[in-house]
Structures are given as C-alpha cells and as structure tokens.
C-alpha cells in the first residue's frame, strides 16, 4: 500500500466526509418545478440483496478487524450511502428523490473503483419473464460467481412475489432494485441493478406484468481495500452493519420466491 502525502490524505478524508454528509436537500420550489410534489401512490419500491463468492484471497483487515469480514465493511459503507440519501431499503414506499439520490451516492462512493454503468433492454409479459432473467445474466454473469448469480435470481423472484402481493392502484409501476455483493478471485465487487415494471391488477388473479420493454440498469465497482484501511478510523465510527443484516433488511426478504411458470418462458 503506497503512502499518501499529507495533502493527498487530507483531500481523501474531505472527499469521504462530503460524500458521507450526503447531498443538500432540494427546496420545495425546486421539487414543485420538477413535478415531484404530486401523488406517487401508483409507484412502489421493491428491494432485494444477494451475496456470495469465494472469500479466499482477500487481504488482511488490519485495523478494520472489528468488522469481522470485508463483506461487513462493504455492508457498512452501503448503510452510510443509504443514510446519506435518506433511502430506506426496508420500505416499499417509493420516493423519487431518495431513489435517484441513492443511485448517485452509490455511483460516487469513494471506496469503489472501476465503476461500470450500462444497461440491457428486454421484452417481458405476464406469460414470459425469462427475458428479464436473461438480461440480468447478460449484465452480471461475467462479474459474479455462479452461486452469487443464483442468489441474485432467487432474490429477484422474491421481489416479484412482493410486487404481486403489495396492493396499490389498479395499475402501478414497480421500481425494482437488486443489490449484489460478491467476491471473485480476491476482488470484492458491489453492484446495483435497477428496472421498472408496469403491472395491472386482474380481478381474481392479482397483479401481473403488462406486455412491455424493460431496461435493466447496472452499476458495478470493486472495493478499494487500501483506501478502506487508510480511513479505518472513519469507517469504525460509522453505524456498522453485518452483510447478513444487509440481505435480511431488504423489503422483499421475508417473501417466498415467486413460482410463476413465466420465469421459464
């Protein structure tokens, strides 16, 4: 680990402090101008998290040993990102400002390197959800281990069940977020997948997907171990979260996997 100069260390600490403080709150006037003070009851949030991978090859935690694992270091940083954005992963209430802000906090996370930002488009319907899984596999299949990919797909099916059971208006937009944490050849990777699915309530059937094209957006980066160790004092002051808490705290976690045959068509 190369040492930083005094000025570099101060700049790095300042960068982290600014990020941790979060963006400034938008005024009511700005929110009104952007049309963000209206009724969003036809929107909902569905969040799931998954992790996996081979932990061999990870470096020593050094001063971060109280965390117990690098995965829990990452989960704690993610908690700070959520807190600074005002984002609650345990809630199905959709707040567009918090939704956008959390994505920005993830993308600008000072402890991530090599961030990839791209997307994949697929067509789905009530009878065919397999293209959505194919889109996810296309986006992250080469970045995660096979067990992580399986965990992600299972988590997405839990979000699907949450969307089916969560009653809102007759027609609604389900805003989906899937968090990913995986270890591949000593590299701890953090990911965020997002899409929006339009759904309609059918009497006697519950909610189902409309025929539509969805765009799955991907953000992926790798944890910078050296920067984490250099700033261990700051990280140890933050409200810690174990990686299992990160998974179990998502709003879709208590739900079973959706078993619709559409996932195979």
């Amino acid at each position: 680990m190369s040492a930083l100069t005094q000025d570099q260390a101060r700049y790095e600490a300042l960068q982290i402090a600014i990020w941790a403080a979060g963006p400034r709150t938008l005024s009511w006037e700005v929110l009104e101008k952007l049309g963000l003070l209206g009724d969003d009851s036809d929107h909902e949030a569905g969040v799931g998290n998954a992790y996996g991978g081979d932990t061999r090859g990870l470096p020593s935690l050094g001063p971060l040993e109280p965390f117990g694992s690098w995965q829990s270091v990452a989960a704690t940083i993610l908690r700070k990102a959520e807190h600074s954005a005002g984002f609650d992963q345990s809630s199905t209430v959709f707040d567009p400002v918090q939704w956008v802000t959390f994505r920005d906090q993830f993308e600008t996370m000072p402890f991530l390197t090599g961030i990839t930002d791209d997307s994949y488009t697929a067509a789905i319907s009530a009878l065919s959800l397999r293209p959505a899984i194919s889109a996810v596999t296309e986006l992250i299949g080469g970045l995660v281990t096979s067990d992580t990919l399986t965990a992600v797909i299972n988590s997405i099916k839990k979000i699907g069940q949450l969307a089916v059971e969560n009653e809102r208006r007759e027609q609604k937009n389900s805003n989906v977020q899937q968090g990913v944490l995986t270890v591949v050849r000593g590299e701890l990777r953090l990911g965020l997948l997002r899409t929006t699915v339009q759904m309609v309530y059918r009497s006697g059937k519950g909610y189902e997907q409309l025929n539509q094209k969805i765009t799955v957006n991907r953000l992926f980066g790798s944890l910078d171990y050296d920067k984490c160790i250099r700033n261990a004092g700051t990280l140890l002051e933050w409200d810690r979260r174990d990686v299992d808490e990160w998974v179990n705290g998502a709003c879709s976690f208590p739900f079973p996997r959706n078993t619709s045959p559409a996932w195979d068509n």
Side-chain angles (χ1 to χ4, degrees):
M1 180 173 64
S2 57
L4 301 182
T5 66
Q6 185 176 18
D7 281 347
Q8 288 173 328
R10 289 174 60 200
Y11 176 80
E12 185 171 273
L14 177 61
Q15 177 196 36
I16 293 168
I18 291 173
W19 175 83
R24 295 176 60 184
T25 303
L26 295 174
S27 68
W28 286 99
E29 291 80 5
V30 171
L31 292 174
E32 185 176 27
K33 184 177 180 180
L34 294 173
L36 295 174
L37 294 180
D39 181 8
D40 283 308
S41 60
D42 59 341
H43 283 259
E44 66 182 11
V47 180
N49 295 319
Y51 78 99
D54 184 351
T55 58
R56 290 176 298 180
L58 290 175
S60 169
L61 284 162
L64 295 169
E65 190 62 41
F67 283 98
S69 71
W70 277 106
Q71 291 91 326
S72 292
V73 172
T76 297
I77 295 170
L78 286 167
R79 184 198 285 275
K80 177 59 74 172
E82 292 163 18
H83 178 75
S84 62
F87 181 74
D88 182 1
Q89 69 162 4
S90 68
S91 174
T92 60
V93 175
F94 178 75
D95 183 309
V97 175
Q98 294 171 6
W99 192 257
V100 170
T101 304
F102 176 68
R103 185 193 184 282
D104 288 345
Q105 287 297 91
F106 188 99
E107 187 173 19
T108 58
M109 196 181 297
F111 298 100
L112 283 190
T113 63
I115 294 178
T116 299
D117 179 2
D118 55 9
S119 62
Y120 190 93
T121 300
I124 64 169
S125 70
L127 300 177
S128 179
L129 292 172
R130 187 176 182 86
I133 298 301
S134 297
V136 169
T137 302
E138 180 72 23
L139 285 169
I140 71 169
L143 295 173
V144 303
T145 55
S146 59
D147 68 313
T148 306
L149 181 59
T150 297
V152 167
I153 292 172
N154 288 338
S155 179
I156 289 171
K157 290 180 179 180
K158 285 190 170 194
I159 299 173
Q161 187 64 27
L162 166 64
V164 168
E165 295 187 24
N166 194 34
E167 293 189 11
R168 289 193 179 273
R169 292 183 177 177
E170 181 176 340
Q171 189 163 322
K172 67 178 182 178
N173 293 289
S174 182
N175 299 277
V176 175
Q177 174 175 300
Q178 176 63 51
V180 185
L181 196 158
T182 189
V183 181
V184 182
R185 295 184 294 278
E187 186 177 329
L188 200 163
R189 298 170 180 170
L190 282 71
L192 196 66
L193 297 171
R194 277 187 170 181
T195 193
T196 300
V197 180
Q198 293 181 306
M199 306 186 75
V200 65
Y201 187 83
R202 307 289 190 193
S203 181
K205 295 183 178 179
Y207 284 103
E208 64 180 34
Q209 295 76 22
L210 295 171
N211 296 340
Q212 64 195 282
K213 284 187 176 181
I214 61 168
T215 298
V216 182
N217 298 289
R218 172 184 73 171
L219 274 178
F220 246 82
S222 298
L223 193 67
D224 187 330
Y225 302 124
D226 288 348
K227 184 176 283 190
C228 289
I229 289 173
R230 286 197 301 269
N231 295 278
T234 296
L235 292 176
L236 288 166
E237 291 176 352
W238 290 354
D239 187 14
R240 297 182 208 171
R241 175 163 65 187
D242 183 82
V243 66
D244 288 325
E245 291 180 90
W246 174 68
V247 172
N248 300 348
C251 59
S252 67
F253 178 76
F255 288 80
R257 287 175 286 168
N258 183 264
T259 57
S260 169
W263 295 107
D264 298 318
N265 297 326

